[in-house]
Amino acid sequence: MRILGINALFHDPAAALVIEGHTVAAAEEERFSRRKHGKRPVPFSAWELPEKAAAWCLAEAGLRPQDLDAVAYSFDPALARPTDIMGLDDPWDHLRLTYARQAPGFLATALPGLDPDIVRFVPHHMAHAASSAYAAPGAETSSVLVLDGRGEATSHLAARRLGDRLEPLRGQELPHSLGLVYEELTEHLGFLRSSDEYKVMALAAYGAPRLLDELRRYVHPTGDGGFRATGVPWAELCPPRRPGEAWSQAHADLAASAQACLEETLLDLVRWLHGRTHDSVLTMAGGVALNCVANSRVAREGPFHRVWVQPAAGDAGTALGGALHLAAHGGERTEPIPGADLGRRWSDAELEAWLKTAAIPYERPADVAETVARALADDAIVAWFQGRSEYGPRALGHRSLLAHPGRSGNLERLNDVKGREQFRPVAPMVLADRAAEIFDGPLPSPYMLFVHEVAPRWRDRIPAVVHVDGTARIQTVDPAAEPLMARVLGCFERLTGLPVVVNTSLNTAGRPMVDDPRDALECFGSAPVDLLAIGSFVIRRGAFFAAGQPDAAAAAPRRGPGADADGGPEDDEREDDEREADGR
């Protein structure tokens, strides 16, 4: 069967293609539209579809819409209930449900030739569960835990995979939602809701959980596989923080308290689930599963021998899960995903054509890995664009910014390059066979979804990647899966004695990760990055600007003081930024 999966209703619209149980392609719409998260999660945007991502998935496989056997849409409006009955404050949710019911027709319009009758509604949390259980290696018999903001009428699913079947065991009805509670906290602390929850997790490391007892009154497990999570009086616990305002110790303490409360509840849920299944493997998905601090506590203190988290655990992953769910129900044997690199790619010939068209001076070194390692050893910041782009929110060595981990100032330097808050950490990338001597935590960790304690003897050697609490969110690199990046790490260690490099996403604040060559060149040109390694080619910052300045200077009109006042291009750009900031 040829099955296209679609996630569209809430946020992070995405598409995935599964053919005969094998994942062929998967991508988020934001990588094409260049709009972070694809859209805001409001009812008025629920009609928007991942049109570009879906068209690319089909083109990647050489298929037309009429060649598909089924389309999986990761929400079933028949299971939804009015929000006032569920205790949610969302008076326009009926509009969202109307759009969901009309999704087959919308998809047929977006993908001409598609038969709307082949569209199947897959329950949201079943799509999450399938994205994890069927995509994980060695999980033919396993337990599954899904936690997010909301689905049709629930916020949680505990299930079990037995071969090609997923058996639901427990769901938590709304309004109780660990995801919604964390979203409320994100907004209370002055960050963007349904977007910046990871910033709260980072801020928590600076605080103490002194409000934990108070929070437990509102967020706690019920002992039967469910929980209570609603009605937290945030303003009574801590004054709100306005966006852009400096955070205080009280804000950090509230974040630490909420993080601890989340972890306690998760541990109770996994213990209950293990008591029902006695499985050795747990797979996880849903937006809450992107909380790598909580994941690590589940792995460390929970009863399961192995914990595997879907790399696109948020709603984007339900596009893949919906397709895998239909494939399994159709009797096909589903295969684990080969990795998170499921997006677009370009050959060296195509990349060179881009560079020639852009009239950019470039080099083709004998070994790009050696060239990059030497630049890193000299304390350069390197933009790394290689192979297929990643599916999910983590840069995993395909669209990355790399730096020297032994220079403590590189944390502040990278946060300045990206325009991020200085309390946020950057991550280490390490060869899989060297990880255990430096980092204590779940290994291997190829998807950067757990935090690890950094061995005390290493903390002063790689200070740029050590968070304030002595941890790091690592990515292990297997040379068999990632030979080029493994060579960079090996070369860098020979030059510096450090088997680790800094890895953070190739983007700047508020923008999606770089995906295509144009994105890479624009990011390189607008941020103080020293070297761009794109395929087999490298571009050096000095040459990049030296080549462009004379022509640009000759072509640019001379403008005197106040020239922007007539509404020229700079005014237009400023207006666009303001529209993006306030959601217009």
Side-chain angles (χ1 to χ4, degrees):
M1 293 176 66
R2 292 160 293 193
I3 305 171
L4 180 68
I6 295 290
N7 170 64
L9 198 67
F10 293 112
H11 52 82
D12 296 301
L17 183 64
V18 172
I19 299 178
E20 296 180 356
H22 174 70
T23 302
V24 173
E28 297 170 69
E29 187 73 3
E30 68 164 23
R31 309 297 170 84
F32 300 82
S33 69
R34 309 309 300 159
R35 184 181 180 191
K36 188 74 170 175
H37 296 295
K39 61 182 180 180
R40 292 298 297 151
V42 295
F44 304 98
S45 70
W47 63 271
E48 296 183 41
L49 296 168
E51 297 182 30
K52 292 184 172 70
W56 170 77
C57 285
L58 293 176
E60 178 71 5
L63 297 179
R64 303 167 300 165
Q66 53 266 44
D67 297 326
L68 291 168
D69 298 300
V71 175
Y73 185 86
S74 60
F75 186 89
D76 187 350
L79 301 178
R81 293 182 290 167
T83 52
D84 55 348
I85 293 176
M86 295 189 292
L88 297 177
D89 181 16
D90 194 351
W92 290 99
D93 191 61
H94 64 88
L95 185 60
R96 180 183 283 124
L97 298 183
T98 297
Y99 288 146
R101 295 185 189 103
Q102 298 300 320
F106 290 166
L107 284 164
T109 300
L111 300 171
L114 178 71
D115 180 358
D117 290 338
I118 69 170
V119 178
R120 301 285 180 266
F121 293 117
V122 177
H124 186 71
H125 289 123
M126 285 297 286
H128 268 308
S131 79
S132 182
Y134 293 131
E140 289 77 10
T141 299
S142 57
S143 299
V144 192
L145 184 66
V146 172
L147 288 154
D148 65 0
R150 60 164 291 196
E152 293 87 356
T154 59
S155 68
H156 150 257
L157 175 66
R160 191 182 195 200
R161 178 189 174 185
L162 293 168
D164 62 0
R165 291 189 300 110
L166 271 176
E167 177 189 357
L169 300 176
R170 178 71 159 88
Q172 176 58 60
E173 293 190 355
L174 294 165
H176 301 284
S177 169
L178 294 172
L180 290 181
V181 164
Y182 216 88
E183 286 183 15
E184 291 171 4
L185 171 62
T186 300
E187 187 173 41
H188 184 74
L189 291 177
F191 302 117
L192 182 61
R193 181 174 181 153
S194 297
S195 175
D196 292 348
E197 282 69 27
Y198 56 92
K199 296 182 183 181
V200 176
M201 181 182 69
L203 183 61
Y206 290 83
R210 60 180 182 83
L211 298 168
L212 180 56
D213 286 343
E214 182 67 17
L215 272 174
R216 285 175 178 144
R217 295 173 54 191
Y218 306 97
V219 180
H220 57 85
T222 52
D224 58 355
F227 52 87
R228 293 291 174 265
T230 190
V232 181
W234 298 109
E236 295 178 17
L237 301 176
C238 169
R241 170 184 168 271
R242 289 192 295 271
E245 197 174 57
W247 59 271
S248 68
Q249 190 59 50
H251 296 130
D253 289 348
L254 180 59
S257 303
Q259 178 68 31
C261 195
L262 171 69
E263 293 168 15
E264 287 182 352
T265 307
L266 273 176
L267 278 169
D268 186 89
L269 296 178
V270 299
R271 287 167 181 153
W272 178 90
L273 180 54
H274 186 265
R276 292 287 301 272
T277 67
H278 305 290
D279 292 327
S280 63
V281 177
L282 172 69
T283 70
M284 297 175 64
V288 175
L290 292 172
N291 190 306
C292 54
V293 176
N295 294 345
S296 298
R297 192 166 176 193
V298 166
R300 183 175 65 250
E301 300 178 33
F304 290 92
H305 181 261
R306 180 166 71 96
V307 178
W308 190 89
V309 183
Q310 215 274 86
D315 273 9
T318 64
L320 173 62
L324 289 172
H325 178 76
L326 291 188
H329 270 248
E332 294 188 332
R333 179 179 177 82
T334 56
E335 300 177 18
I337 57 172
D341 52 328
L342 298 169
R344 289 189 286 177
R345 59 187 154 193
W346 284 264
S347 68
D348 276 346
E350 290 170 323
L351 292 173
E352 190 167 25
W354 275 87
L355 299 178
K356 288 180 176 178
T357 298
I360 292 171
Y362 61 89
E363 306 166 25
R364 187 167 193 167
D367 185 354
V368 70
E370 177 78 24
T371 299
V372 165
R374 289 190 177 279
L376 292 171
D378 290 338
D379 206 24
I381 293 179
V382 175
W384 178 259
F385 182 105
Q386 302 292 337
R388 300 185 73 169
S389 59
E390 298 92 340
Y391 181 45
R394 306 284 192 248
L396 300 168
H398 292 253
R399 304 291 188 271
S400 293
L401 280 172
L402 309 177
H404 195 311
R407 311 275 195 256
S408 60
N410 276 344
L411 171 59
E412 181 177 355
R413 186 178 169 201
L414 281 166
N415 280 333
D416 284 342
V417 166
K418 290 167 66 70
R420 307 192 322 173
E421 299 86 353
Q422 287 298 341
F423 66 79
R424 291 172 56 187
V426 290
M429 183 186 287
V430 60
L431 284 170
D433 62 359
R434 301 297 306 280
E437 67 185 87
I438 307 170
F439 305 104
D440 181 20
L443 294 173
S445 181
Y447 300 131
M448 211 185 287
L449 285 164
F450 299 92
V451 296
H452 296 65
E453 293 286 336
V454 182
R457 68 183 182 278
W458 279 92
R459 292 179 186 178
D460 290 337
R461 297 187 65 188
I462 52 172
V465 297
V466 182
H467 199 27
V468 67
D469 58 359
T471 66
R473 187 186 69 196
I474 79 169
Q475 179 196 350
T476 56
V477 175
D478 178 358
E482 299 287 350
L484 185 61
M485 180 51 68
R487 288 214 317 275
V488 171
L489 287 163
C491 292
F492 184 75
E493 183 176 13
R494 288 197 300 273
L495 294 167
T496 66
L498 301 176
V500 174
V501 298
V502 177
N503 171 34
T504 188
S505 56
L506 181 52
N507 67 331
T508 52
R511 298 180 183 274
M513 266 197 289
V514 159
D515 198 81
D516 74 11
R518 185 188 303 277
D519 304 334
L521 293 171
E522 289 177 350
C523 185
F524 181 67
S526 63
V529 176
D530 301 299
L531 187 79
L532 168 62
I534 180 166
S536 296
F537 310 99
V538 297
I539 303 165
R540 301 182 188 275
R541 187 166 190 80
F544 181 90
F545 283 100
Q549 282 176 346
D551 290 342
R558 294 188 177 275
R559 305 171 70 181
D564 294 344
D566 62 359
E570 293 182 15
D571 279 345
D572 293 342
E573 291 168 5
R574 187 177 301 112
E575 184 177 355
D576 288 344
D577 290 343
E578 289 168 354
R579 286 175 177 168
E580 183 176 348
D582 69 10
R584 285 182 283 162

